[in-house]
Amino acid sequence: MARICRLSEAIEENVRDGDMLAMEGFTHLIPYAAGHEIIRQGRKELFLIRMTPDLIYDQLIGVGAARGMKFSWGGNPGVGSLHRFRDAVENQWPRPLYIEEHSHAAMANAYEAGAANLPFAMLRGYIGADLAKVNPNIKSITCPFTGEVLAAVPSIRPDVSVIHAQRADRKGNVLIEGIAGVQKEAVLAAKRSIVTVEEIVDELNPSSPNAVVLPAWTITSVVHIPGGAFPSYAHGYYPRSNAFYIAWDKIARDRDSFTAWIKENVLAGKPEDFARHVNRRAVNAV
């Protein structure tokens, strides 16, 4: 059953050196506060998994926490490249980074297969694409019933998955609203899971038809971190900080400016710092 605890405790207990780590959230509810705590605790040799790695994985890669990454698209959304990611691949700084690239469809199906405790996922995909030429984990399989040749990829079974959500109740059940992405599947596929939330309430009371409720027995740790998705948005709580994504391009482009930013905003920071972004920004759905 989920244990409600502090972020430092959740990371210390659940994220270990060498883990396969998934941090999901599609356009919103990206668990930035948890990512910063992972950096503060000095985790190393992580194999990162994320459908759309953006700024938080740029930060983890830039501090040398990652040995590799499985993904389906990487960039600073609406801005350009992830410069720390690119520096690691092109120049091996601060260390070499193994990459395994897939399509969005393959990643989503692989998470779903992992959640179902299956060894691999099948899909109609990669037809006419060249990814299979550079990714040995893209195979083909013949349907025993129709003879159709389908793509096959290994299921995703993270050691630990981390997501952000809007609310949890005091028993540890979690509510996600808005774009759900693969957060549910990432939690169900993982051995351990951490969910940071905007609020802890007495009753969840789902208010929209697309709300997802993760029961407490699927989650290891729940942490109350208001603003924990900033600079991404939390549907119904605060908007996306487009200005931060633009500013990150300049910060991350240079190794020294990146390192200085990490020292000032992450290593010298604390989870409570994220709450100020909720207080000073309009609390409107995006």
Side-chain angles (χ1 to χ4, degrees):
M1 300 296 288
R3 184 171 83 90
I4 298 174
C5 61
R6 298 175 60 192
L7 184 58
S8 58
E9 296 172 325
I11 299 301
E12 183 177 3
E13 293 170 3
N14 294 295
V15 182
R16 303 159 190 173
D17 288 352
D19 271 353
M20 294 178 61
L21 168 68
M23 300 182 71
E24 287 294 350
F26 193 73
T27 77
H28 77 140
L29 299 178
I30 300 171
Y32 280 94
H36 285 186
E37 184 62 27
I38 290 169
I39 293 172
R40 278 192 291 271
Q41 293 196 16
R43 293 296 181 269
K44 300 294 183 185
E45 299 295 324
L46 299 172
F47 188 85
L48 305 177
I49 306 168
R50 180 166 162 75
M51 284 186 63
T52 55
D54 53 8
L55 275 55
I56 190 58
Y57 273 19
D58 209 29
Q59 294 166 16
L60 284 162
I61 291 166
V63 300
R67 58 184 165 90
M69 182 166 69
K70 177 183 287 194
F71 68 105
S72 52
W73 177 89
N76 183 340
V79 180
S81 293
L82 292 176
H83 299 296
R84 295 302 92 224
F85 174 31
R86 186 166 184 167
D87 203 7
V89 172
E90 294 181 350
N91 304 307
Q92 293 76 55
W93 191 93
R95 56 168 299 169
L97 184 76
Y98 166 81
I99 59 173
E100 181 180 328
E101 188 174 358
H102 288 274
S103 68
H104 277 352
M107 289 285 289
N109 277 275
Y111 269 121
E112 199 166 278
N117 198 24
L118 294 171
F120 66 93
M122 291 184 300
L123 65 150
R124 290 188 176 94
Y126 296 116
I127 298 170
D130 288 333
L131 272 177
K133 297 177 181 178
V134 297
N135 185 346
N137 281 328
I138 299 171
K139 306 286 187 182
S140 62
I141 189 169
T142 301
C143 174
F145 303 105
T146 66
E148 181 181 5
V149 177
L150 301 167
V153 295
S155 62
I156 294 177
R157 298 298 307 273
D159 293 305
V160 57
S161 288
V162 183
I163 67 170
H164 190 75
Q166 280 93 347
R167 299 188 288 284
D169 65 20
R170 303 190 190 283
K171 296 179 181 178
N173 302 300
V174 166
L175 174 72
I176 304 171
E177 289 186 293
I179 300 172
V182 293
Q183 289 99 307
K184 175 185 71 174
E185 290 80 5
V187 167
L188 295 178
K191 298 174 184 174
R192 304 178 297 277
S193 58
I194 300 168
V195 183
T196 56
V197 296
E198 293 294 328
E199 289 186 276
I200 294 180
V201 297
D202 293 326
E203 299 289 340
L204 292 181
N205 295 323
S207 58
S208 63
N210 71 327
V212 173
V213 175
L214 287 167
W217 58 266
T218 67
I219 300 163
T220 309
S221 298
V222 171
V223 184
H224 181 212
I225 300 288
F230 182 88
S232 75
Y233 73 97
H235 177 79
Y237 286 79
Y238 46 89
R240 183 182 192 265
S241 175
N242 294 321
F244 186 91
Y245 284 82
I246 294 169
W248 183 253
D249 185 74
K250 183 177 180 180
I251 293 166
R253 192 177 289 270
D254 178 78
R255 294 175 184 176
D256 290 338
S257 62
F258 166 78
T259 301
W261 188 92
I262 288 290
K263 287 180 179 178
E264 179 180 353
N265 296 280
V266 179
L267 298 180
K270 53 189 183 299
E272 293 76 18
D273 294 341
F274 281 82
R276 71 179 186 270
H277 301 299
V278 180
N279 296 333
R280 75 183 187 187
R281 296 182 67 82
V283 185
N284 293 316
V286 175

